[in-house]
Amino acid sequence: MNVLFATSEIAPWVKTGGLGDVAGALPAALRALGLDVRVLVPAYPAMLRNFPGAIEVARPHWLGGLLPTPTLRQAVAPDGTPLLLLDYPPYFNRPGNPYLGPEGRDWLDNHLRFGLLSRVAAWLGSEASTLDWQPDIVHCHDWQTGLAAAYLRYLPGQRTKSLFTVHNLAFKGLFDHASLFELGLPDAAWSMDGVEYYGYLSFLKAGLQHADAITTVSPAYAREIQTDAEGMGMADLLRHRAGQLSGILNGIDTAVWNPATDPHLVRGYNARQLPAKAANKAELRAQLGLEPCHDRPLLAVVSRLTEQKGLDLLLEIAPQLLELPAQLVVLGSGSHELEQGFVALAKKHKGQCAVRIGFDEALAHRIEAGADIFVMPSRFEPCGLNQLYSLRYGTPPVVRATGGLADTVIDAADESHGNGFVFGPATTGALLQALQRATTAWHNPPRWRRLQTQGMARDSSWAAAARQYADLYRRLSARIPSSARGHEDKSHLGIPSSARGHEDISHLGIPSSARGHEDI
Ligand code: ADP
């Protein structure tokens, strides 16, 4: 089984969130099961720097529209996964974040940059490919590569199967109508059954509409996104595709996130050596300028600072939280308002609250090890990785019951399985109550140790997820070969959408501001 992973991020080299972590770890877990997985990722400066010996293996051309001819270079990651670096310097040799320019705004040509990534993924899965390796499945991730499923659908001739994984439904990859031509998509794609979404071209919808199967990163999120309340304007389409939609819970890289061997920690520990965690707490407090008060737990946040993560709720109750008493450390970046709010909080409560704005992998590890309680009050959370790191580091998480948080954290009320604290409504009252329960439990050492060890015993490795993806790939590739279906799919374009059951999309009545156009 050959699988092409098409991704816009890959840890540890280029990562802005969970997608990077998944692309950095899942391929190796799949390769351990005997699948030949290769990863297609743009040749950002960090990739070229880390793989200077990458050799040219193909030059995909005639890609259509205004898409240029890039170079594909092959390298091998330290874990043995072959990487296909999509090299086109005018698009990818840029500083900073993969998506944002220096001003913090989306690059204006993101449709072409990620259109090219999607198009080359489809090229690799088509007869046109000149590479001596052909995928059986093209596995796309999030809007950045959603268009690959559309290209595969509209390409003539034989094509491979596609799987689209939603890591976050909030980002729709919306661009104007003119991009259809620039991206070399046929006019027929501009329809409700194609890539059109409320007058925009949506990369996300392209993936949801055209992939042979869809997964999301937790079973709970797979159910939630089919509801109008949490479907972000895609619920109708997702309900229509419910038969091809499933949730596979993410794992974590248990080698990188291992408290026993973590090089960022002053002292390694495991579930039998929990007192050693205290050395990391003392060091973290010293590093952050927090007072060494022994009567209060240290609470922590490592996160993008956005409304999704519910951190506005935390900011609002932070003064009451500190009075419990408790200490707080926040590491993150994101919305200006939240950044400013947390910085002001730290200024006001010197010695009890520390805030670091920015992305700092080493500090994230030290926080997971040094904190007592981790806080994730997310409004929605497709899977969430930090609660899994927290469980593994003996730092019980306080989470809202949503998505992957609901699938992985068991409330302490269940004495024999509990590993954290779960609350329901996204309100300051419910959050504060859960934090109070957590700090009270922390004052009861035997109870606390039980919570910690139950969390640390959870197997969060990628092995289970890899087996589920491998099964899905097999089921997908065993279906009728697409060549046998010929262009039958295309003829559907002429059928009125009402006959295909998801005409409701246009009737959702959602105001455009709520439809997630913020990412154009
Ligand atoms: P999301 O992908 O929605 O941002 P996840 O919990 O799935 O959230 O993954 C976030 C990943 O990014 C985790 O690995 C987390 O440790 C990391 N992360 C987020 N913000 C920071 C930061 N400021 N510094 C270091 N790591 C961060």
Side-chain angles (χ1 to χ4, degrees):
M1 173 74 65
N2 293 349
V3 180
L4 179 75
F5 247 62
T7 178
S8 59
E9 308 185 12
I10 180 167
W13 306 288
V14 182
K15 161 178 151 177
T16 70
L19 166 60
D21 285 309
V22 174
L26 179 56
L30 286 162
R31 290 180 67 80
L33 297 178
L35 284 77
D36 186 353
V37 182
R38 305 191 181 191
V39 181
L40 172 70
V41 61
Y44 304 112
M47 299 308 290
L48 293 174
R49 236 184 0 261
N50 282 282
F51 300 97
I55 49 159
E56 178 174 332
V57 287
R59 282 176 68 78
H61 56 269
W62 300 117
L63 298 178
L66 300 184
L67 295 175
T69 300
T71 303
L72 275 180
R73 302 185 188 282
Q74 184 153 317
V76 181
D79 65 16
T81 305
L83 305 175
L84 290 164
L85 306 182
L86 175 63
D87 195 10
Y88 186 66
Y91 281 6
F92 301 117
N93 190 7
R94 298 182 188 179
N97 185 299
Y99 318 115
L100 309 177
E103 320 265 85
R105 285 202 208 105
D106 288 354
W107 293 110
L108 285 176
D109 57 354
N110 271 352
H111 61 301
L112 291 172
R113 299 172 73 230
F114 297 107
L116 181 66
L117 177 62
S118 299
R119 181 64 184 89
V120 170
W123 180 85
L124 286 163
S126 74
E127 290 172 340
S129 172
T130 56
L131 206 68
D132 58 0
W133 178 86
Q134 272 256 296
D136 300 298
I137 305 280
V138 172
H139 187 166
C140 324
H141 299 266
D142 272 354
W143 75 265
Q144 297 89 325
T145 51
L147 218 54
Y151 282 122
L152 284 168
R153 160 77 182 266
Y154 296 110
L155 278 176
Q158 202 165 8
R159 64 175 180 94
T160 197
K161 293 286 169 54
S162 60
L163 171 63
F164 182 57
T165 295
V166 179
H167 298 260
N168 193 332
L169 200 67
F171 303 104
K172 296 193 169 55
L174 297 175
F175 302 98
D176 60 29
H177 185 186
S179 18
L180 190 77
F181 156 78
E182 294 175 29
L183 291 163
L185 281 163
D187 286 343
W190 192 259
S191 90
M192 209 149 52
D193 298 328
V195 302
E196 189 266 344
Y197 182 79
Y198 291 97
Y200 290 92
L201 186 162
S202 164
F203 278 43
L204 176 78
K205 188 191 165 197
L208 297 177
Q209 182 78 47
H210 294 304
D212 292 292
I214 305 166
T215 59
T216 68
V217 289
S218 70
Y221 192 59
R223 289 190 297 276
E224 289 164 5
I225 58 178
Q226 293 179 56
T227 66
D228 289 341
E230 307 204 44
M232 300 197 161
M234 295 290 178
D236 230 20
L237 172 55
L238 287 163
R239 284 196 293 268
H240 176 70
R241 300 223 57 200
Q244 294 89 47
L245 168 63
S246 58
I248 299 179
L249 197 62
N250 277 343
I252 58 174
D253 190 326
T254 49
V256 172
W257 292 93
N258 180 354
T261 56
D262 192 329
H264 301 296
L265 310 191
V266 282
R267 250 177 92 187
Y269 60 94
N270 61 30
R272 288 183 309 282
Q273 308 154 331
L274 276 171
K277 191 168 154 61
N280 293 294
K281 182 171 170 180
E283 174 69 20
L284 179 66
R285 274 177 159 157
Q287 187 193 348
L288 296 171
L290 290 172
E291 288 168 20
C293 312
H294 296 296
D295 66 333
R296 59 199 66 186
L298 174 56
L299 278 69
V301 170
V302 178
S303 179
R304 287 186 290 121
L305 301 180
T306 64
E307 208 184 308
Q308 176 202 331
K309 302 290 180 180
L311 294 168
D312 49 317
L313 301 175
L314 182 68
L315 185 60
E316 211 177 315
I317 56 152
Q320 287 146 280
L321 169 66
L322 295 171
E323 270 168 30
L324 281 177
Q327 292 183 327
L328 177 67
V329 51
V330 176
L331 166 63
S333 61
S335 105
H336 184 66
E337 234 178 296
L338 281 172
E339 286 185 3
Q340 295 297 101
F342 279 111
V343 167
L345 182 80
K347 243 190 207 149
K348 196 161 166 206
H349 299 272
K350 256 202 165 120
Q352 299 303 319
C353 174
V355 171
R356 295 289 180 274
I357 301 299
F359 196 95
D360 185 338
E361 186 84 25
L363 183 56
H365 283 248
R366 286 198 285 270
I367 289 176
E368 288 289 3
D372 295 301
I373 297 167
F374 201 85
V375 191
M376 283 181 87
S378 306
R379 289 199 165 76
F380 69 94
E381 193 62 76
C383 176
L385 295 171
N386 274 303
Q387 85 278 17
L388 298 176
Y389 303 151
S390 305
L391 290 171
R392 195 159 158 78
Y393 278 61
T395 310
V398 173
V399 306
R400 196 172 95 70
T402 181
L405 299 176
D407 281 336
T408 54
V409 181
I410 304 166
D411 192 88
D414 179 342
E415 288 204 4
S416 40
H417 301 99
N419 56 22
F421 299 84
V422 183
F423 67 98
T427 60
T428 49
L431 171 60
L432 187 60
Q433 206 177 31
L435 292 171
Q436 271 161 341
R437 282 203 296 133
T439 52
T440 305
W442 178 81
H443 285 284
N444 179 342
R447 186 170 175 220
W448 195 251
R449 257 195 308 280
R450 197 170 58 238
L451 265 184
Q452 289 179 298
T453 47
Q454 279 167 191
M456 291 176 93
R458 184 181 196 281
D459 178 7
S460 294
S461 70
W462 273 105
R467 279 194 299 275
Q468 293 176 64
Y469 279 110
D471 275 355
L472 181 55
Y473 294 153
R474 280 189 203 103
R475 285 202 305 275
L476 263 179
S477 64
R479 283 199 208 151
I480 315 160
S482 47
S483 57
R485 280 190 291 173
H487 302 280
E488 150 230 23
D489 287 0
K490 284 188 181 175
S491 65
H492 284 175
L493 293 169
I495 300 173
S497 59
S498 56
R500 287 185 298 282
H502 46 97
E503 73 282 15
D504 303 3
I505 284 184
S506 61
H507 302 181
L508 286 172
I510 299 168
S512 64
S513 59
R515 274 186 245 136
H517 291 183
E518 66 282 353
D519 62 329
I520 43 175

